[in-house]
Amino acid sequence: MFNYRLYWTFAKKSFLRSAVYRFDVWSRLGSNVIFLLMWGSIWTALYAGREEAGGVSFQAMLTYIVVSQFLSGVNGAGTPLWEIQEKVRTGDISLELMRPFDVPLRYLFADFGSVFFYMITALLPLYIILFFFMDLSLPNDPLIWLAFSFAAFIGFLIRYCIEMAFGLLTFFLVETGGVEDIFYFAMSLLSGSVIPLWFFPGWLASFASYLPFQGIYYIPNAIFIGEIAGYQILTSIGVQLFWVVVTYIFLRLVWNKASQKVVVQGG
Amino acid sequence: MRYIDLYFKLVAAGIRAQLQYRFAFFMRIVGMLTSYAGTAITMWVMLYQFQELGTWNFYEMLFLFAIAVLSWGFCIILFFHFRSLDTYILNGTFDRFLVRPINPFFHFMAMKFDVASFGQFIFSIFIFIWVSVELHIHWTIANVLFLLAAVIGGVLIQGGLLVIISAFAFWTTKSEQFYWVVMYPARNLTNYPLVIYPKMVQWFTAFVVPFGFVNYFPASVILGKETPYFPENIGYFSPLVGIVFFIIAYYIWMLGLSRYKSTGS
């Protein structure tokens, strides 16, 4: 059935490949830090010296942004969308279709490898230092850490399924310009990556709560700073699990359609 | 004179080439409009509860953003081609710019005239009108001329940085990475008023990579905002900063060119 050894090899290979492109790691980390600086400054200016706003302390809000920036580093370290689109456009993807593995899973495991490399060599050292030097609020309960890690992982899977499905739309649309920008916008705003959902206007917050994007950043971040607490943690993770199933089915549907289309065209 | 004539001939050829793919052209404009609208909506959501970001309200921030978008639009038209210099060098196709009897910098620049920046123009002009009505900005001739001069300054600053980044390719055969580390974050930082950043960052964006002169300083002059740490009306220097920065960029590029060795592939 599921060939662990095969997919494990993809993860390992892409881990090793990341080690070769070390300059990539540094440049990615550099721009991650700049965006952290930007959003940190923006939230500092928005609070304008107030201790709390909307029932959330400044310290918790700053922690939210730092954690969010960490997760966006994690989410951004996989195969970029344009690389998959380029493979579709140039027809290279047909070579992968001929091989005895499942393409969406193969990329997922390759992402595990490169993300893991980026995490241990760059992200974790940087953010551990940040947590020491900045005045941030860390959860005391190890269970919260566990819930956060799990939620962050599910969020990663949701993001992967949505992004991959969008990448595969290239099979149907030659030019994905407009669609892609809507996707990026939804990813950045509706996921709560830079503005938590509780600061949204009411109607927009409820709109976002019916969409999968909140599972990527908002839920893990809010669990980390304790805005989602107690039994709410379980319901939130339940929502995430629901969305990971839905987005995975969506990805499968798009993939089946797309791969058939290639066969029809003769590759 | 010869160069001006030549520029328009090359540009006309470029436009004809791009209009071959009308659907792609149209989708790119839609895409740009969506992504700028997305940033504007994000600003709106951010200020929904807080009203102000370092004394700047929503409309003032839109104005600041629109200046950046407008000059970036012109910058794409004129200088965006420099972003692909590394590909030309890697593939060895750069050599053909050297065997022709015109200045290679000029030739490379005129090779592509990216007309897809209509998105930027539509967006920024719409915002200018909307914000002028909301903030009752009084547009005198002096004001309009200053805005135009500031936009030219902004185009030269951003274009200059694109040129410098592309010049890295002469030494390293790679420059795309630098774009994503320097240009992309710098453009994002300056979408928000610089006053919110730590003093060091403000100095950096004023005097090292002078993106403050693209929109923050000029917008402060027009809207009458204070610029702490900087002299009042420093925005009037935008065009001058643009010219100086671009000349420096040009010499860096030419220096790189003199070091250029073909990859020969």
Side-chain angles (χ1 to χ4, degrees), chain B residues 56-116:
Chain B
W56 290 63
N57 69 27
F58 174 59
Y59 294 108
E60 292 166 334
M61 268 169 66
L62 273 187
F63 186 74
L64 179 79
F65 181 45
I67 296 181
V69 171
L70 182 64
S71 60
W72 180 241
F74 283 111
C75 188
I76 288 181
I77 288 188
L78 295 169
F79 304 113
F80 207 56
H81 192 217
F82 281 98
R83 239 188 96 180
S84 47
L85 180 66
D86 57 344
T87 330
Y88 279 88
I89 290 179
L90 272 179
N91 296 338
T93 40
F94 182 71
D95 294 16
R96 70 174 164 176
F97 294 99
L98 301 174
V99 296
R100 290 181 187 155
I102 42 174
N103 180 334
F105 180 87
F106 169 80
H107 186 20
F108 190 77
M109 183 179 132
M111 258 302 281
K112 192 163 177 196
F113 184 87
D114 204 325
V115 278

Side-chain angles (χ1 to χ4, degrees), chain A residues 33-46 58 62 65-66 69 134, chain B residues 196-198:
Chain A
V33 170
I34 295 175
F35 279 103
L36 178 64
L37 172 83
M38 178 174 129
W39 287 106
S41 305
I42 286 174
W43 280 101
T44 309
L46 286 174
F58 175 62
L62 206 58
I65 283 299
V66 173
Q69 213 40 51
M134 288 171 74
Chain B
I196 63 170
Y197 298 118

Side-chain angles (χ1 to χ4, degrees), chain A residues 259-267:
Chain A
S259 48
Q260 271 162 18
K261 197 171 153 80
V262 172
V263 176
V264 171
Q265 285 181 334

Side-chain angles (χ1 to χ4, degrees), chain B residues 113-128:
Chain B
F113 184 87
D114 204 325
V115 278
S117 21
F118 280 119
Q120 274 89 347
F121 298 144
I122 296 168
F123 178 82
S124 53
I125 288 165
F126 171 75
I127 296 286
F128 278 138

Side-chain angles (χ1 to χ4, degrees), chain A residues 4-263:
Chain A
Y4 284 102
R5 291 254 312 270
L6 174 68
Y7 293 100
W8 179 240
T9 315
F10 284 125
K12 227 165 41 185
K13 286 273 180 233
S14 98
F15 179 89
L16 293 173
R17 199 174 62 149
S18 305
V20 179
Y21 295 103
R22 227 160 300 166
F23 185 69
D24 271 26
V25 170
W26 290 116
S27 62
R28 230 180 246 160
L29 192 68
S31 75
N32 186 279
V33 170
I34 295 175
F35 279 103
L36 178 64
L37 172 83
M38 178 174 129
W39 287 106
S41 305
I42 286 174
W43 280 101
T44 309
L46 286 174
Y47 267 69
R50 273 170 289 195
E51 277 294 303
E52 63 107 53
V56 179
S57 72
F58 175 62
Q59 197 192 29
M61 188 56 229
L62 206 58
T63 312
Y64 183 101
I65 283 299
V66 173
V67 173
S68 189
Q69 213 40 51
F70 172 77
L71 289 184
S72 84
V74 169
N75 276 296
T79 317
L81 196 57
W82 59 262
E83 204 177 297
I84 294 159
Q85 293 177 331
E86 204 51 36
K87 285 212 162 140
V88 176
R89 270 190 209 119
T90 55
D92 282 354
I93 197 103
S94 60
L95 287 175
E96 309 214 359
L97 281 169
M98 284 193 272
R99 295 189 179 135
F101 55 69
D102 180 67
V103 175
L105 272 182
R106 170 233 185 282
Y107 277 104
L108 179 64
F109 276 81
D111 279 7
F112 284 156
S114 50
V115 167
F116 186 63
F117 180 83
Y118 182 52
M119 234 165 88
I120 57 166
T121 57
L123 277 181
L124 277 176
L126 173 75
Y127 280 86
I128 288 172
I129 293 170
L130 277 180
F131 272 105
F132 269 109
F133 282 96
M134 288 171 74
D135 186 22
L136 303 171
S137 56
L138 294 176
N140 295 320
D141 192 346
L143 276 177
I144 302 288
W145 282 95
L146 195 71
F148 163 75
S149 313
F150 184 70
F153 178 67
I154 302 294
F156 180 85
L157 294 180
I158 296 175
R159 197 271 315 157
Y160 177 81
C161 291
I162 301 176
E163 193 164 345
M164 193 59 164
F166 264 89
L168 295 174
L169 283 181
T170 326
F171 274 106
F172 311 102
L173 306 162
V174 184
E175 191 56 46
T176 47
V179 186
E180 209 175 282
D181 285 295
I182 294 173
F183 162 75
Y184 279 120
F185 167 61
M187 277 282 267
S188 81
L189 183 67
L190 298 174
S191 67
S193 73
V194 290
I195 306 170
L197 263 51
W198 59 78
F199 285 128
F200 281 19
W203 59 270
L204 190 64
S206 49
F207 177 62
S209 69
Y210 289 113
L211 292 171
F213 302 106
Q214 53 163 334
I216 307 171
Y217 295 107
Y218 172 71
I219 291 177
N221 294 348
I223 290 176
F224 193 90
I225 65 164
E227 274 301 304
I228 294 178
Y231 76 95
Q232 279 186 326
I233 294 180
L234 292 178
T235 49
S236 298
I237 289 178
V239 169
Q240 277 189 309
L241 288 173
F242 167 76
W243 278 117
V244 81
V245 172
V246 172
T247 50
Y248 183 74
I249 293 172
F250 176 64
L251 170 62
R252 279 286 146 208
L253 283 177
V254 174
W255 174 245
N256 283 347
K257 281 262 177 227
S259 48
Q260 271 162 18
K261 197 171 153 80
V262 172
V263 176

